[in-house]
Amino acid sequence: MEAKGLFNVARKEFIGHLTSKKFIVILALFLIISALAMHQGMDYYNNRLENYKEQLSQIKEVEGMEPGYMPEKPTIMLVFMFMSSHIMLLGAILAIAMGFDLVSKEKETKSLKSLLSCPVFRDEIINGKALGGTLALVFAMVTALLISLAILLIFSIVPSMNELAAILVFGIVSIVFLLAYFAIALMMSTVSGDSGSALIYTLVIFFILGSLLPIVGHTVAGMVAGEPPERPAFEFDIRDETKESEEEMQQYQEEVRVYWEKQRRITDAFNIISPNMNYMTISLLISNPQIYSAVYGQSSSSMTSTGYFTGGGEEAPGLQEVLGKVWKNILALIIFSVVFFAIAYVKFMRMDIR
Amino acid sequence: MIRTENLTKVYNGNKAVDGLNLEIAEGDIFGFLGPNGAGKSTTILMLVGMIEPTEGKCIINDIEVARNPLKVKGIIGYLPEDVGFYGNMTAEQNLDYFARFYAAMDANERKKRIEELLELVQLDGVSQKVGGYSRGMNQRLGLAQALLNDPEVLFLDEPTANLDPEGVFQYRELTKQLSDEGKTIFISSHILAEVSKVCNTIGIISKGTLIARGTLEELKNELGRAGTENLRIIVEAVEPLPEITHEDIISAEYSEDKRKVIIEAKSDLRDYISSELFEKGVKIKEMRMEEPTLEDVFLSVYRR
């Protein structure tokens, strides 16, 4: 394959995206909302930091505190938790807007014939379009991350090396998520007769994968798992605790565990084919590693007043450990992009040019 | 030189082009005629390497197109019937994008060539983006794009479809100039008059098959005669004409004042008619035999 044609197409596509009005408008909206979300996240982070400091001072004041218990210092990655929800919506819309007419518009304006009359292979064209779009998405994500870092510095927060690594991973995962929708849009642009149909079909897929599938998964899980086990009918009295009631309680707890495990397996099976759910899982664990204990750990978990999990004072897992747990979700996102790019590639190569 | 050998293209079981054998010599301006759906565009698309033949092959300057499409695209120029460009770019930006695919052109050469071509098609100094172009301007830009690489062989599909008279005139001049430079030009057109003015050889395709080929004169003689067995002789005189009789005359249609007659005959009777009228002292104003036009030839072939 001649790389010259590929890079020429990619270069033109990259410049075309960056100078197109729709890209500029959606990117501007995305950056503004991300910056606002960052600001919101900063407030949340500062509150958590205040709590942490209060807890520390209480530990120092209270005598006889159990040795070894230390509250977990909040990470600045919490700020990015707020950003991820906007990436999931506006970022996906940006990716769809970039991809839905990449091929269909060329067919409509007849520029594809002019392009194919030049000495360039078809695969260079489709790969160049994919590469140009990917670079534009990387540009958008890097810009968003640089703005977020600037906001952190404005608030006099300097990320540690570990946090910088987590931000980098967050950025990469976000790009892979955006690529999944870009690939879907590109595929629809290749198979659809016109850009209007391509956009509608892509939005339908976006809705199905992003909203409908998780709801269906949850409903199916509820139907398959049935009613939750009933709590044993006895009144718990610490003065009259019998061995029988203790065994009954243990059995109940085991049944509850099995019940929720079954539900989780079914919802996971649905969620793994939803880019949104995969991205949510990954970004949540990267941005709030303490949730790791609540979701995967054996210890008791708790939910804060703001609705976020915290892991009852356990040490937060490292980035590597978190990545080890969400590798399936990352792989699913990558497979999504690859499969849809592959369909677009094959369809474009076989496209009838008349 | 362009050559096709048993060129066949099948779409969904239907033969769009059926065993086409063509040979166009270097420097020829070849007119490719045919009604809609005859297989003209499919033939051109196979010749320029955009679609692969089901059977047979296309050879351009000794290079087989299907085997070396990029090599062929490097030496040909192609103006599609419905040419299109990137509306968000200027003419210069569009041409620069396409020119970058040609390995032989560096940045300076590209710039120089693009300036020359835009001047040639009279789009120099037009700063607006191509999205705001008229169809004629688009067509002229298409011609410039087809000439980007100074091609040895040029394929033009309905090149004058959207051009104004001035544009048509320039196109004719340019075609002749390119032919004089030794370039082979393949023109597909519905505008028969245009083909007759520009092309030195013509091929007629119907239902995917080449049914006639030759110079305009050869086609007129062969197909015109074959299509209409009878000849039409028109005679105009200063005074009323006497009745002309001959065994080869099929019909004679006189005007009201008898000063004009249109004779349909089996043979060329001009000598006989002039002698007859001379003997009877009738002064002839005009006498001519109506020759079949390219349109007559074209229609007679298709109506068979």
Side-chain angles (χ1 to χ4, degrees):
Chain A
M1 195 177 74
E2 288 278 334
K4 190 181 174 183
L6 170 78
F7 292 126
N8 190 24
V9 175
R11 175 185 159 278
K12 182 252 169 197
E13 292 296 332
F14 179 68
I15 294 170
H17 285 306
L18 262 53
T19 53
S20 86
K21 281 178 191 160
K22 68 180 177 191
F23 180 86
I24 293 168
V25 168
I26 299 172
L27 179 64
L29 200 64
F30 173 63
L31 294 178
I32 290 166
I33 291 175
S34 296
L36 290 174
M38 285 290 294
H39 190 267
Q40 206 182 349
M42 289 300 302
D43 287 342
Y44 177 70
Y45 169 73
N46 287 330
N47 285 338
R48 287 281 298 269
L49 197 63
E50 283 301 315
N51 284 342
Y52 165 73
K53 284 175 185 170
E54 263 179 43
Q55 281 180 331
L56 271 188
S57 61
Q58 279 171 4
I59 287 167
K60 282 177 190 169
E61 283 170 16
V62 177
E63 284 183 4
M65 176 64 81
E66 193 180 314
Y69 173 78
M70 286 292 283
E72 186 66 29
K73 189 185 175 190
T75 164
I76 60 138
M77 288 307 293
L78 285 170
V79 175
F80 290 89
M81 196 165 61
F82 285 79
M83 200 175 160
S84 63
S85 61
H86 297 290
I87 291 173
M88 219 154 40
L89 180 67
L90 271 173
I93 289 173
L94 179 70
I96 290 169
M98 283 168 59
F100 82 93
D101 63 351
L102 271 186
V103 175
S104 54
K105 197 177 175 186
E106 291 237 19
K107 285 191 278 186
E108 285 160 5
T109 61
K110 313 287 182 190
S111 54
L112 191 58
K113 258 190 190 177
S114 301
L115 179 56
L116 282 169
S117 71
C118 298
V120 56
F121 285 115
R122 274 198 194 195
D123 55 357
E124 290 179 290
I125 295 174
I126 189 72
N127 291 340
K129 281 180 179 293
L131 181 60
T134 303
L135 290 174
L137 282 175
V138 169
F139 171 82
M141 201 59 228
V142 168
T143 308
L145 287 181
L146 286 177
I147 289 174
S148 64
L149 280 174
I151 291 172
L152 288 178
L153 293 175
I154 288 168
F155 280 85
S156 306
I157 298 167
V158 181
S160 66
M161 283 309 286
N162 284 341
E163 285 168 333
L164 276 176
I167 293 170
L168 183 68
V169 172
F170 173 77
I172 293 169
V173 170
S174 299
I175 289 168
V176 176
F177 167 73
L178 296 180
L179 279 180
Y181 278 109
F182 175 67
I184 291 171
L186 179 61
M187 186 273 287
M188 290 315 306
S189 178
T190 314
V191 299
S192 301
D194 58 90
S195 301
S197 307
L199 178 60
I200 289 168
Y201 293 144
T202 310
L203 289 176
V204 168
I205 293 175
F206 174 60
F207 173 72
I208 291 172
L209 295 177
S211 304
L212 196 63
L213 207 61
I215 295 170
V216 170
H218 186 72
T219 310
V220 171
M223 285 164 68
V224 173
E227 291 292 316
E230 275 191 36
R231 195 181 171 88
F234 63 88
E235 287 202 8
F236 181 73
D237 189 342
I238 199 160
R239 291 165 299 179
D240 189 27
E241 195 177 341
T242 62
K243 197 180 176 185
E244 198 176 280
S245 63
E246 194 181 318
E247 279 175 4
E248 211 173 338
M249 193 63 195
Q250 276 178 351
Q251 194 187 339
Y252 165 71
Q253 282 174 339
E254 179 58 20
E255 282 172 6
V256 168
R257 194 191 63 75
V258 170
Y259 174 80
W260 287 114
E261 183 61 26
K262 193 176 179 183
Q263 275 230 0
R264 208 187 75 173
R265 279 173 195 269
I266 297 167
T267 50
D268 280 356
F270 278 88
N271 290 346
I272 202 79
I273 46 175
S274 164
N276 297 50
M277 293 309 290
N278 285 316
Y279 177 63
M280 200 170 82
T281 307
I282 301 162
S283 58
L284 200 61
L285 289 183
I286 292 172
S287 57
N288 191 358
Q290 286 151 320
I291 203 173
Y292 173 86
S293 309
V295 176
Y296 294 103
Q298 298 300 316
S299 67
S300 61
S301 60
S302 60
M303 200 176 267
T304 65
S305 58
T306 47
Y308 291 95
F309 282 102
T310 54
E314 289 198 1
E315 194 183 336
L319 184 61
Q320 270 187 325
E321 201 177 342
V322 168
L323 289 177
K325 283 291 173 187
V326 293
W327 70 268
K328 279 183 192 168
N329 303 87
I330 295 173
L331 186 67
L333 278 181
I334 294 170
I335 288 172
F336 244 94
S337 306
V338 170
V339 166
F340 284 102
F341 273 134
I343 296 171
Y345 178 90
V346 171
K347 182 66 188 165
F348 187 79
M349 294 299 285
R350 294 179 177 181
M351 192 186 283
D352 183 15
I353 308 289
R354 269 191 283 181
Chain B
M1 192 188 75
I2 303 167
R3 196 169 83 239
T4 68
E5 291 175 11
N6 192 33
L7 191 64
T8 305
K9 182 70 187 177
V10 179
Y11 285 120
N12 304 322
N14 297 319
K15 283 186 176 176
V17 177
D18 186 6
L20 183 71
N21 290 300
L22 258 182
E23 193 158 335
I24 300 158
E26 200 176 317
D28 261 10
I29 307 179
F30 179 78
F32 200 42
L33 292 172
N36 291 334
K40 299 191 303 292
S41 294
T42 308
T43 304
I44 289 191
L45 289 174
M46 285 190 280
L47 283 165
V48 299
M50 280 203 201
I51 55 172
E52 283 189 26
T54 310
E55 270 179 58
K57 52 187 170 184
C58 309
I59 295 155
I60 292 176
N61 284 8
D62 298 324
I63 308 166
E64 192 182 337
V65 180
R67 285 179 187 270
N68 296 293
L70 252 57
K71 205 171 173 186
V72 168
K73 284 177 184 179
I75 59 161
I76 65 166
Y78 171 50
L79 169 66
E81 180 185 2
D82 41 6
V83 65
F85 294 97
Y86 300 101
N88 59 336
M89 290 157 70
T90 63
E92 197 177 342
Q93 287 168 337
N94 267 286
L95 292 182
D96 185 64
Y97 174 50
F98 295 125
R100 283 171 185 268
F101 291 108
Y102 297 97
M105 295 171 99
D106 63 25
N108 285 334
E109 282 172 323
R110 279 202 309 272
K111 194 171 184 295
K112 197 179 160 199
R113 182 72 180 151
I114 289 165
E115 278 172 8
E116 280 171 9
L117 289 170
L118 287 177
E119 196 181 336
L120 184 75
V121 297
Q122 294 191 329
L123 287 173
D124 53 327
V126 180
S127 57
Q128 77 182 102
K129 290 185 174 169
V130 172
Y133 274 21
S134 66
R135 292 179 73 179
M137 288 164 90
N138 240 11
Q139 193 84 0
R140 280 190 272 159
L141 182 57
L143 195 57
Q145 195 228 327
L147 296 170
L148 257 180
N149 56 330
D150 192 18
E152 294 169 31
V153 180
L154 196 57
F155 292 91
L156 308 173
D157 200 352
E158 300 289 352
T160 57
N162 301 305
L163 295 180
D164 55 23
E166 176 65 18
V168 173
F169 176 76
Q170 285 167 358
Y171 149 77
R172 281 184 204 149
E173 293 294 305
L174 181 65
T175 310
K176 280 173 192 162
Q177 184 193 321
L178 293 169
S179 177
D180 291 343
E181 288 172 17
K183 297 184 195 307
T184 313
I185 305 171
F186 186 108
I187 301 169
S188 166
S189 179
H190 285 105
I191 304 168
L192 305 177
E194 199 52 55
V195 171
S196 65
K197 278 187 180 137
V198 175
C199 301
N200 47 29
T201 54
I202 291 167
I204 301 179
I205 185 173
S206 178
K207 292 173 187 167
T209 312
L210 191 73
I211 50 175
R213 193 195 184 291
T215 63
L216 185 59
E217 286 307 309
E218 285 167 353
L219 286 180
K220 277 180 185 176
N221 289 334
E222 286 173 29
L223 299 171
R225 285 281 161 80
T228 51
E229 296 271 322
N230 305 327
L231 300 172
R232 278 154 64 96
I233 301 161
I234 294 124
V235 185
E236 271 189 78
V238 177
E239 55 247 69
L241 289 158
E243 193 175 335
I244 305 165
T245 53
H246 189 278
E247 58 184 7
D248 278 2
I249 291 177
I250 296 162
S251 66
E253 197 181 310
Y254 289 86
S255 63
E256 266 184 36
D257 60 1
K258 295 265 183 183
R259 289 172 201 270
K260 184 178 177 183
V261 63
I262 300 170
I263 297 167
E264 200 171 328
K266 288 178 186 170
S267 60
D268 185 0
L269 297 176
R270 283 178 294 181
D271 289 349
Y272 167 76
I273 294 167
S274 62
S275 305
E276 281 287 295
L277 293 178
F278 181 75
E279 276 176 22
K280 290 174 180 171
V282 178
K283 290 178 186 165
I284 297 172
K285 203 172 171 183
E286 185 190 2
M287 181 160 67
R288 62 189 159 89
M289 190 167 72
E290 231 178 38
E291 286 199 19
T293 60
L294 184 60
E295 194 174 346
D296 294 329
V297 172
F298 191 76
L299 291 173
S300 72
V301 168
Y302 291 125
R303 284 173 181 168
R304 276 177 212 169

